[in-house]
Each structure stands twice: as C-alpha cells, then as structure tokens.
Amino acid sequence: MPVPKEPKFEQEYSNFLPMAIPRKNIKKRSLNTIIESGAFDVEKYVPHKPKEPIEKLKLKLQEQMSGIKMFPDDGRRRRVVRSKSEGCMDYVPPDRASELLEEINERVQWLEEMEALGEGKKHRATIQLQIAEKLNELKRLDRAKSQENEI
C-alpha cells in the first residue's frame, strides 16, 4: 500500500490564514500633513463643576443611605404628601470637634483590634500619625474658638 502524502501546511490551512491584500497606491504622509489633519490635537480638559457645594452633596448622600431626613423638603422639586406623624429632623451642621474625637476613637479601637490579631506592628506608625494630625486639627479649632470668644 502506498503511504499517503502529508498535506502541505499552506494547502490545508489556506482557508484560515488571513490574506494580505497588496495596495499599489500607498503614499506615506509627511509630518506636516498629519499635523494639519488634526491628528495630534488634544482637547482641553474642562472639569465638571457641581451645581451644589460638595459638602451639601455629601450630606444628601448620607441622608439617602441612612434613610433619615436631614434636609426638610422645600416642595419645589417634587410634591411629597406627608402625614403629621412623620417628622423631619432640623438640619444642624456637624460639630467638627466631635467628629474629630470620634475619628480618633475609631482609629484607636481599630489599632487595638489589629494588635489583638497580631497585625498591630504594620499599622501602628500610620495610625499614630493620623491620630497626631487629628489632634493638631483639634488644637487649631480650639485656638480659633478661643480667639472668636475674645473678640
């Protein structure tokens, strides 16, 4: 019996190989024509400015996530029917000093948890630095309040 011939690679797989179509009229463009076409033009970035202050937007997001109304509806945007039993909290701007104390306590508790897990060494320096920054900010607030009281 004759041994079958092995098919050549090009013949068997020619259907799968991409065909390169030779182009006869290819012209290279010069740098000047590329620049004139606008290929290198970069659009100037214009940041989006929010309509409302960022702090107010943050508080609104907190309100949405918690489900507690911090800002009473003014009724202009949408009409909301409220029952008399449903009340809204009056908006009170947060006290920065109490926020700072809470943040310091959170960091101390977190560091204690990490030390209990044996990971305290890794994080101790950064947490102590953050606590020191918060304490400095607290001192600045106290100085500013005392100066306001003197005036």
Side-chain angles (χ1 to χ4, degrees), residues 87-145:
C88 295
M89 290 177 24
D90 291 333
Y91 173 68
V92 178
D95 183 25
R96 183 64 182 148
S98 62
E99 284 181 6
L100 286 171
L101 290 173
E102 287 176 15
E103 290 175 7
I104 290 171
N105 288 333
E106 287 175 3
R107 282 170 173 71
V108 168
Q109 290 172 357
W110 186 82
L111 184 60
E112 288 173 356
E113 291 174 7
M114 287 297 116
E115 286 177 350
L117 294 173
E119 300 290 321
K121 237 180 193 180
K122 290 181 186 178
H123 306 286
R124 187 176 299 123
T126 55
I127 297 297
Q128 287 176 347
L129 181 66
Q130 291 174 358
I131 290 172
E133 289 174 359
K134 301 290 180 192
L135 287 173
N136 288 336
E137 188 175 347
L138 194 59
K139 288 177 186 176
R140 273 187 257 127
L141 285 173
D142 287 341
R143 277 190 232 125
K145 283 182 183 179

Side-chain angles (χ1 to χ4, degrees), residues 47-98:
H48 170 71
K49 293 185 179 178
K51 295 178 183 177
E52 296 184 59
I54 293 176
E55 291 299 320
K56 193 170 182 180
L57 289 173
K58 285 181 186 177
L59 288 172
K60 280 189 176 181
L61 180 62
Q62 285 178 353
E63 169 190 316
Q64 290 173 354
M65 298 300 283
S66 67
I68 300 173
K69 292 274 186 186
M70 296 176 115
F71 294 103
D73 290 333
D74 55 0
R76 283 187 241 159
R77 293 189 185 145
R78 60 183 174 263
R79 194 171 186 173
V80 179
V81 178
R82 295 188 209 181
S83 63
K84 292 183 180 179
S85 62
E86 178 186 347
C88 295
M89 290 177 24
D90 291 333
Y91 173 68
V92 178
D95 183 25
R96 183 64 182 148
S98 62

Side-chain angles (χ1 to χ4, degrees), residues 8-24:
K8 293 185 178 179
F9 180 78
E10 291 87 17
Q11 291 174 352
E12 188 173 327
Y13 296 104
S14 64
N15 295 338
F16 301 111
L17 296 175
M19 295 293 292
I21 301 170
R23 295 186 185 179
K24 296 177 183 175

Side-chain angles (χ1 to χ4, degrees), residues 19-36:
M19 295 293 292
I21 301 170
R23 295 186 185 179
K24 296 177 183 175
N25 296 330
I26 295 178
K27 294 181 182 177
K28 292 185 179 180
R29 298 190 302 170
S30 67
L31 180 62
N32 291 335
T33 57
I34 294 172
I35 292 173
E36 288 172 3

